[in-house]
Structure formats: C-alpha cells, structure tokens
C-alpha cells in the first residue's frame, strides 16, 4: 500500500485563503470557532461563531424576506438559483479545493460534490415552472375542488461535515424556488465552505434582484442549531447528521408542531448472490466501502455474500484492499484520504476491538497511516472484517471505513439479515437473476429508502428523492417530489353554481 506526501498546514492555510479570496469571501476572524483541516489535523484559523443575538437577527430578517419572497412568481425565484448554478460552475475548482481542505475529500470526489450542487440548481430552475397542484372531481355540481401549494416560511438547514456543500444545495435550491427563505447552520467542522456558498448565493441574489435575506448563514455548533430547532419562526427544520442528533431534534421540533425533515445515519448493506458478476461487484463494493474514507451516509458497511461465492469474492477484495492508496487527498493517485478527526479513528478502533473480541477476523487493512508525518491527522487503511453473525457492533453505524463480511445460504436469510439493523438508508443486490432482483426491490425485500441492483450503495443522482427509513429518519430530499416537504398544500373549493349544496348530501336550513 502506497502513501503519498502531505502538504503542510501553512500550504493549506494559504490555499484556503487564496480560494476564499477568489470567490470573494472576506473572513471575520475570531476565537470561538476554529477552522481546521483533516489533511494535517491542524488548526487553520479562528472564526467567529454566531451569538444568540445573531440568531435572533437572522431569523427576523429571513422571516421578513419571506413575506415578499412568497409572492414572487416561482419562475422569477428560479432566477436566483440559475445564477447560483452559473457561479458554482465558474468556481467549481475553488469550492472543490475548499471541500478537500476542510473535509479531506479526494479531488475527484470534491469536484463531484460541487457538480451535485450544479445539478440540483438545474433541477430546481426547472422545478420553478413545475410546482403543480391537482384538481379533484367534486361531488357537488358547479364546484371546483383543487390542491394548491404554498411556501412554508423560513427553512432551517442543519448540515453534517461529510457533505459540507451538496446537502446545503439540495435543501436551499429547492426551498428557494418553493418560496421559502433559508437559514443555514453548517457543521462546525466545515465553516469555510459554508462561507463560500453563502457568499455565492448572496451575489446571485444581488445580481437577480432577490432580497438579500433569502439566505442567512449562522456559523457555530450544536447550541446554534438548537436555537433554530426551538424557534417557532422556523417552519421546517431540515437536519442532516447522526441518528443521535435526529433523536434530539425530531421531538423538539414536534413539541412545537414544527415540521422536520431528518436525514440521519445509515448502515448500508449489499447482497452478493451466486450469479453476481464479481468484477462489477468488486469495483462497486470498494468504491462504496472505502470511497470518501467510509464517511458517506450511504457507505457500504455490511456485505452479505452467498456461501458459494464468498471465498472467491473475499480473495479479490482482499487483494484490492491491499493496494488502496491512502494519503494526501490532493494527490491524484490517492483513493483514500483522511478521516475527519482522530476521534473518528478511535471509533473505528473501538468497533474493531469489539468485533474481534466476538470472533471476527481481519481480512485486510486496519493499520493507521502517516501517524509520524501528521500525528494530529487520522489516516487509515480501510478494513475488511469477516464476522459469523450480526452482533450489536455490526448493527451500529461506525462512521469510518470498516466493512463486515457475512455469509448466507438462502435469499430469505440474506434479506432478513439485510433488514435486521435499526437504519434504513441505502441497499443493493448484485445478481444476474431477475427473480432475485425483483424480490429484493419488492415490498418483501429491502426496507431502505434507496434500493439498487448491480450498483453499490453510494453515489446517488439528484433526480431521485434521497433519504431513508427507520433510524435514518424518514426524510426525502433532492429530486422527484421531495419539494413537497418545503411547501404546504391547501385544499380549495370554489362554488360557482349560485346555490348551496352541502357535501355528503347533508341538508340544513
Ligand atoms: P452530527 O450529528 O455530529 O452533526 C450534524 C449537524 O447537527 C451539525 O451541524 C451539528 O452541529 C448539528 N447538531 C448536533 N446536535 C444537535 C442538536 N442537538 N440540535 C441541533 N443541531 C445539532 O453529524 P456529523 O458527524 O457532522 O455527520 C456524520 C453523520 O451524518 C453520520 O451519521 C452520517 O450517516 C450522517 N449523514 C446522513 C446523511 C443523510 O442524508 N442521511 C447525509 C450526510 C451525513
């Protein structure tokens, strides 16, 4: 396994400053919010976190902007998103560099994340002319019954570190064309990319004549998020992060009868059937399990392999795992960059200790890398572990590159194992047997929000709705009709008959 040289923290600091300058961001430095980089694990510079007063001011401004934005025709609202998409195209490389500095993504994945933002902008611009309601056949003569969609209000977006910009854009591009205004609380681990996105959107708003306060940014940690969660002016809290966070946020928003859209942790599995094309499966599995250093919500964490092909598949995976390049995410040959923090590495080692104590066996990987060059960073070889049963540790989401291999004999057994976890985000089956594929996709198959055939669990397109069931929170974002979460439907009845006819044949007076 090769390791590639790391840039210095000074280089990374200079790069971040240069990219922010090109985008046009002026950074207000402070003490209470450190910006750091997982590439070296070191401090870049200090920023200022939002205070309670800042939150109050931002919510008041976003609410006031909503009052004009909600009646701006939706295709005009699309103008600001179209301009944002153009600016993202122009600054794609700059933003990708910031994503790499802050989240540690390899270049191709960082560029992919920005591309996802561009794609959702295109989608949302089209959507701005397609916010359709339905007319419904009325039982009463001379009546028109219809469903009309209206904006909700201020949307509070709370996002996770691992998709520092794409998740924001899924919510924001769609919420803006729906007529909502947005207040964003990004992960405290990724404030620089947030400053860059906010600046580009503010510029798009200015250039298209939209109110500046259609979008506000609040940097900070959990305490700032909690202020959004509890404020009745926030009509929808769209929160992406761990299931632990969702368990805190969901009930608090519900207690004030607010709406929430929760995108939480996953524990995604792939079934590999006897008929699977193993070349295709190996490529897909390695990208899904080791890509993004195992830090996607859709990362493949469990592999459920038919006993007849288990040895052949494991042999191939072991060989590929043995030569995965781990190192600087800026190096074009690297496939596995750093984990976000040494705490994430500790979580990986804790899970590994537990699973080994239960009889699991490491097949490949698991060694820490670059510890001498960058002691504050967390580089690791992705780990492949064989387990003979699905114990508690396998049923948890460890947000690091650890893939558990289980075996099965019948498809029923594989599906039962597959669904026997608290989370329900993404899933896949590798098979050439159409019957097996259809069973997996049926109501008796995968219980996840995303179910794939002959594709890994990660790497969704924006056109489909994204989200999962059970402990993943039940939210849907991005494409399809996910926009409905950002609007409210009013059922309207118009009587043009000139006489009063009551529904259900009721007579009165
Ligand atoms: P996290 O839960 O630590 O933090 C996520 C965000 O929530 C941060 O902005 C944080 O400040 C905020 N937060 C935390 N507690 C809060 C509270 N009580 N009230 C309000 N805000 C609060 O998650 P993370 O470590 O940044 O991200 C990794 C997790 O996110 C993984 O579990 C991953 O699966 C999940 N994730 C899910 C999706 C999805 O779409 N389902 C996408 C990306 C990440």
């Amino acid at each position: 396994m090769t390791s590639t040289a790391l840039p210095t923290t000074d280089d990374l600091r200079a790069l971040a400053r240069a990219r922010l300058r090109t985008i046009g961001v002026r950074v207000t430095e402070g003490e209470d919010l450190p910006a750091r980089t997982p590439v070296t694990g070191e401090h870049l510079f200090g920023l200022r976190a939002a205070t309670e007063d800042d939150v109050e001011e931002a919510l008041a401004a976003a609410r006031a902007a909503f009052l004009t934005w909600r009646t701006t025709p939706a295709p005009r609202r699309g103008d600001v998103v179209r301009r944002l998409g153009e600016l993202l195209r122009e600054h794609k490389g700059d933003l990708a560099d910031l994503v790499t500095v802050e989240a540690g993504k390899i270049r191709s994945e960082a560029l992919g994340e920005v591309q996802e933002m561009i794609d959702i902008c295109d989608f949302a611009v089209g959507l701005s002319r397609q916010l359709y309601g339905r007319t419904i056949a009325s039982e009463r003569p001379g009546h028109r019954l219809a469903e009309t969609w209206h904006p909700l209000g201020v949307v509070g977006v709370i996002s996770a570190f691992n998709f520092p910009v794409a998740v924001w854009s899924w919510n924001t591009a769609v919420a803006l064309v729906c007529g909502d205004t947005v207040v964003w609380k990004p992960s405290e681990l990724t404030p620089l990319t947030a400053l860059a996105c906010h600046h580009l959107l503010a510029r798009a708003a200015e250039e298209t004549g939209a109110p500046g306060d259609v979008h506000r940014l609040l940097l900070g940690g959990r305490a700032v998020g909690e202020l959004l969660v509890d404020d009745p002016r926030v009509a929808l809290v769209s929160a992406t992060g761990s299931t632990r966070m969702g368990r805190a946020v969901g009930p608090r928003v519900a207690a004030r009868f607010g709406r929430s859209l929760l995108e939480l942790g996953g524990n995604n599995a792939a079934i590999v059937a006897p008929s699977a094309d193993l070349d295709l499966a190996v490529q897909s599995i390695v990208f899904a399990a080791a890509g993004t250093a195992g830090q996607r919500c859709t990362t493949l964490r469990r592999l459920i392999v038919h006993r007849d092909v288990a040895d052949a598949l494991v042999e191939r995976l072991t060989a590929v795992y043995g030569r995965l390049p781990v190192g600087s995410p800026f190096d074009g040959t690297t496939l596995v960059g750093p984990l976000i923090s040494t705490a994430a590495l500790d979580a990986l080692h804790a899970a590994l200790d537990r699973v080994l104590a239960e009889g699991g066996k490491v097949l490949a990987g698991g060694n820490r890398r670059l510890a001498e060059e960058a002691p504050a960073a967390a580089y690791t070889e992705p780990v492949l572990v064989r387990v003979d049963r699905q114990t508690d540790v396998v049923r948890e989401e460890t947000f690091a590159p650890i893939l558990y291999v289980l075996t099965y004999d019948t498809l029923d057994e594989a599906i039962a194992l597959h669904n026997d976890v608290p989370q329900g985000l993404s899933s896949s089956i590798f098979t050439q047997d159409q019957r097996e594929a259809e069973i997996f996709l049926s109501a008796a198959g995968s219980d996840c929000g995303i179910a794939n055939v002959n594709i890994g669990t990660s790497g969704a397109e924006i056109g489909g709705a994204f989200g999962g069931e059970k402990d993943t929170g039940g939210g849907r974002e991005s494409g399809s009709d996910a926009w409905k979460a950002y609007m409210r439907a009013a059922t309207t009845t118009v009587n043009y008959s000139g006489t009063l006819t009551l529904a259900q044949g009721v007579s009165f007076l």
Side-chain angles (χ1 to χ4, degrees), residues 453-479:
V453 176
N454 295 328
I455 310 170
T457 51
S458 68
E461 300 179 24
I462 61 97
F466 183 93
E469 305 301 333
K470 303 192 291 184
D471 282 9
T472 304
R476 291 295 184 276
E477 283 179 0
S478 188

Side-chain angles (χ1 to χ4, degrees), residues 9-29:
T9 302
D10 282 344
D11 291 340
L12 294 165
R13 194 178 289 118
L15 179 70
R17 282 193 200 284
R19 296 299 178 258
L20 288 168
R21 215 172 20 248
T22 308
I23 291 171
V25 180
R26 241 181 282 128
V27 176
T28 313
E29 301 218 11

Side-chain angles (χ1 to χ4, degrees), residues 95-126:
L95 258 179
D97 278 345
L98 289 172
V99 169
T100 301
V101 169
E102 246 186 358
K105 290 196 182 186
I106 61 170
R107 181 79 182 155
S108 133
E109 291 194 52
L111 285 166
E113 181 165 357
V114 184
Q115 185 58 45
E116 203 167 333
M117 304 173 80
I118 294 168
D119 295 343
I120 196 72
C121 286
D122 287 354
F123 178 91
V125 172

